[in-house]
Amino acid sequence: MALSAKLNLRQSQSMVMTPQLLQSIRLLQFTQLELDQFVQDQIEINPLLEREASQDKLPVADRSALPEPDLGSEANASEDWSMNELEVSSSAIADKLDSSLDNVFPDDPGHSESGSPAQGPLSGRNGSDVIGRPESDFDLESVIAGSLTLRDHLSEQISLTLRTVSDRAIAHELVDALDPNGYLDADFDEVADRLGCEREDVEAVLGALQEMDPPGVFASCLSECLALQLRRLDRYDPAMAALLENLPLLAKRDFKTLSRICGVDEGDLIDMLSEIRKLDPRPGLAFEPSGTEAIVYDVEVRESADKSWRIELNPDALPRILVDRDYYARISRTGLSSDEKLFMSECLQNATWLERSLDQRATTILKVATEIVRQQDAFFVHGVSALKPMTMKMVADAIGMHESTVSRVSANKYMLTPRGMLEFRYFFTVSIASSGGEDGHSSEAVRQRIRTMIDRESPDSILSDDALVAMLKGEGIDIARRTVAKYREGMNIASSVQRRREKRALAVAHG
């Protein structure tokens, strides 16, 4: 069989994800903080993008590298400069960037036939397009005081408590060995060898450190941590010591065995458990930064005068940018080199693309939120019990978008409602079949119903999972026993045997 080289011509279609198209897709799933940082990064590299001076958190890109226009002889001519020559149409962007916004936002009308940009809900006027945020933007985080770390807190006490230099050196060495929970993980022999002291010296300093604030710090395990706190409260007796030595039995809720080991009745045991619950098993975490971020809602839902729901975008969640086309007009009339002209042209195209992408992102969020409120109207009136089963495909079909677009929009987006701040994805729940042939029930509503039933049970009538299934079926909810058990465990509710034991012990303790 002979081998030979051949030249064939083949035509095929494929979807190419350009950087601009990927950017538009990423914008949909950005959180407010991620979006703010992304826009700031674009401002730093694009001289045609800027924020209002009162909202600049980082320095804007330096324009000193570009020559300033000579306005002396061309001042009058610049007044006749037509902004139509500066507008970038959708077709121009598509030709230049090999991509189109229609791929991401098929419902976007784009630019009008006259060449002027289509006016979206966030567009501005007079040559600069503005994506709005109120002029007054007070950043509360900029005035929050720095948090005190556990190391700083202990160092202050060491300098006041320990008198010798050697003891302070040992103390600081032990502080460095603390984990974020405040537990000590150190080999005393290694610490003694490293500092040139005796093990007894390290243990003596440890005893002084365990008397410091917060109570329970410098413990080696959970039982010692709780014991240190109980000693501080003068509640560490033999019965409590026996209880702390058998914490695995407490985790198993084996109260009968614990009562026998501790030598107390169930009433006294319940009192001991209530004291332990007041203790802090991780004393060091109180001085660690929480790492939480303030949630900025994207959409606000309010009830209007005619009892309908008013859905509005939160202006604080929308970055305010300006595309400085006036500056582009001035700089373009100077003697720029070909590379500089190409650079400025790309900056204008990228700025226009970002401007329209942000505008369409806001429009898409508003569309999804409006459809969620429309389909879940009963929830806003009656609460969780009226939550309907809803999937992202149902919303996507209703607004004429792809399901993946709804999924990206719903990720990490929040809605401020009369019933609290809720994530978009809270409203998407699976359906539990109805035994009567009617519409299904939302899984979240079923969870809430199970919790309500268990909260109302009496110590003499504890509901088993089978009893919950029977009661739910009596209300028209066709659900399996294993599903009830899964929902109950997901809500951290103990089994019927454990609940019966606890509630009977509480009843005995309270007479």
Side-chain angles (χ1 to χ4, degrees):
M1 179 172 134
L3 297 177
S4 61
K6 294 182 180 180
L7 183 63
N8 295 323
L9 183 63
R10 180 182 301 174
Q11 185 177 8
S12 62
Q13 291 182 342
S14 62
M15 182 176 180
V16 179
M17 300 290 286
T18 63
Q20 286 73 27
L21 183 59
L22 288 172
Q23 178 192 101
S24 298
I25 293 175
R26 288 171 56 207
L27 286 179
L28 287 175
Q29 57 191 18
F30 274 168
T31 63
Q32 189 270 333
L33 292 177
E34 291 172 340
L35 179 64
D36 220 29
Q37 183 60 48
F38 174 80
V39 170
Q40 185 60 48
D41 293 340
Q42 294 299 310
I43 289 174
E44 291 179 351
I45 63 177
N46 194 331
L48 299 182
L49 286 173
E50 61 181 16
R51 294 181 189 264
E52 286 189 90
S54 60
Q55 296 182 356
D56 284 342
K57 299 180 181 179
L58 297 174
V60 183
D62 187 8
R63 293 178 175 172
S64 60
L66 297 175
E68 290 294 331
D70 182 9
L71 302 178
S73 59
E74 298 178 344
N76 295 330
S78 63
E79 296 178 359
D80 299 331
W81 185 263
S82 175
M83 290 303 298
N84 291 332
E85 300 180 22
L86 303 179
E87 301 298 348
V88 181
S89 63
S90 297
S91 58
I93 294 178
D95 294 340
K96 182 68 177 177
L97 303 179
D98 191 24
S99 183
S100 172
L101 279 174
D102 295 337
N103 294 333
V104 185
F105 308 109
D107 58 334
D108 179 28
H111 283 44
S112 61
E113 296 181 357
S114 62
S116 60
Q119 294 295 323
L122 306 178
S123 300
R125 300 175 181 174
N126 301 328
S128 295
D129 293 340
V130 179
I131 295 182
R133 176 183 291 177
E135 295 183 0
S136 60
D137 186 12
F138 177 71
D139 187 6
L140 181 61
E141 295 182 358
S142 62
V143 297
I144 296 178
S147 58
L148 182 66
T149 65
L150 178 62
R151 179 185 177 86
D152 295 338
H153 183 64
L154 293 173
S155 297
E156 293 178 357
Q157 299 177 74
I158 289 172
S159 61
L160 298 174
T161 305
L162 303 180
R163 299 185 178 276
T164 65
V165 176
S166 60
D167 287 349
R168 291 178 182 177
I170 296 173
H172 286 295
E173 187 74 17
L174 295 178
V175 168
D176 291 337
L178 289 177
D179 66 8
N181 295 323
Y183 289 87
L184 180 63
D185 183 14
D187 189 326
F188 293 168
D189 292 329
E190 292 182 0
V191 173
D193 293 340
R194 190 161 51 247
L195 298 179
C197 61
E198 299 296 332
R199 178 187 175 94
E200 291 75 11
D201 298 331
V202 178
E203 293 175 347
V205 172
L206 176 62
L209 293 176
Q210 289 179 341
E211 298 296 328
M212 292 183 178
D213 186 71
V217 73
F218 290 101
S220 59
C221 59
L222 175 59
S223 59
E224 185 181 5
C225 176
L226 300 178
L228 290 173
Q229 299 178 56
L230 290 169
R231 286 194 183 98
R232 193 80 62 91
L233 298 172
D234 196 19
R235 282 292 296 120
Y236 189 71
D237 52 27
M240 192 67 78
L243 176 60
L244 295 182
E245 291 175 359
N246 295 274
L247 290 179
L249 293 177
L250 178 59
K252 295 179 181 179
R253 298 174 182 265
D254 191 353
F255 298 144
K256 185 175 295 185
T257 304
L258 283 175
S259 297
R260 186 178 69 255
I261 293 175
C262 298
V264 297
D265 56 23
E266 288 191 357
D268 292 336
L269 182 63
I270 294 299
D271 292 336
M272 294 166 62
L273 295 181
S274 63
E275 292 183 23
I276 289 180
R277 289 193 182 98
K278 298 176 183 178
L279 305 179
D280 188 358
R282 299 180 180 89
L285 291 184
F287 295 88
E288 289 294 320
S290 61
T292 57
E293 298 174 347
I295 295 178
V296 179
Y297 61 90
D298 299 271
V299 176
E300 182 178 5
V301 179
R302 293 181 297 177
E303 187 177 8
S304 56
D306 58 354
K307 300 301 181 180
S308 62
W309 299 108
R310 182 178 179 87
I311 302 99
E312 297 178 347
L313 289 170
N314 178 19
D316 291 337
L318 303 173
R320 184 180 180 87
I321 66 170
L322 300 111
V323 181
D324 197 346
R325 292 181 170 85
D326 291 334
Y327 177 76
Y328 178 83
R330 296 197 310 271
I331 204 70
S332 298
R333 298 181 63 85
T334 62
L336 298 178
S337 64
S338 58
D339 291 340
E340 291 171 338
K341 289 181 180 179
L342 178 62
F343 171 73
M344 293 303 299
S345 176
E346 291 177 350
C347 286
L348 181 61
Q349 291 170 346
N350 291 333
T352 304
W353 180 281
L354 176 61
E355 174 191 42
R356 293 189 60 207
S357 296
L358 291 174
D359 188 49
Q360 282 297 328
R361 176 185 182 272
T363 303
T364 306
I365 291 175
L366 188 60
K367 283 185 178 180
V368 173
T370 302
E371 183 60 25
I372 289 175
V373 174
R374 188 189 70 80
Q375 295 197 27
Q376 298 289 359
D377 176 74
F379 164 80
F380 295 98
V381 177
H382 303 290
V384 181
S385 59
L387 194 65
K388 298 179 180 178
M390 185 177 69
T391 63
M392 293 183 182
K393 189 176 187 305
M394 295 169 58
V395 174
D397 293 341
I399 62 178
M401 289 186 175
H402 196 272
E403 185 178 352
S404 62
T405 303
V406 176
S407 177
R408 293 187 181 97
V409 170
S410 303
N412 300 314
K413 305 297 187 304
Y414 292 87
M415 182 185 302
L416 182 62
T417 72
R419 295 191 175 275
M421 187 180 298
L422 303 170
E423 190 177 5
F424 278 28
R425 295 199 172 186
Y426 173 82
F427 298 96
F428 297 101
T429 59
V430 299
S431 176
I432 303 296
S434 175
S435 58
E438 302 102 358
D439 295 337
H441 302 270
S442 167
S443 60
E444 188 64 31
V446 174
R447 287 189 183 92
Q448 181 66 22
R449 184 62 185 140
I450 292 173
R451 180 184 292 276
T452 302
M453 290 178 176
I454 292 177
D455 290 341
R456 292 177 179 176
E457 66 184 4
S458 63
D460 297 330
S461 179
I462 300 297
L463 299 175
S464 64
D465 291 344
D466 291 327
L468 291 172
V469 170
M471 294 177 66
L472 291 173
K473 286 187 177 181
E475 298 180 3
I477 302 174
D478 188 8
I479 189 171
R481 181 186 181 280
R482 62 179 180 275
T483 306
V484 171
K486 182 180 70 173
Y487 288 172
R488 174 180 54 75
E489 292 171 358
M491 294 184 290
N492 295 322
I493 299 177
S495 65
S496 58
V497 175
Q498 294 172 333
R499 297 200 311 273
R500 182 179 294 107
R501 186 182 300 155
E502 291 179 3
K503 292 190 176 183
R504 285 182 178 176
L506 288 173
V508 171
H510 293 86

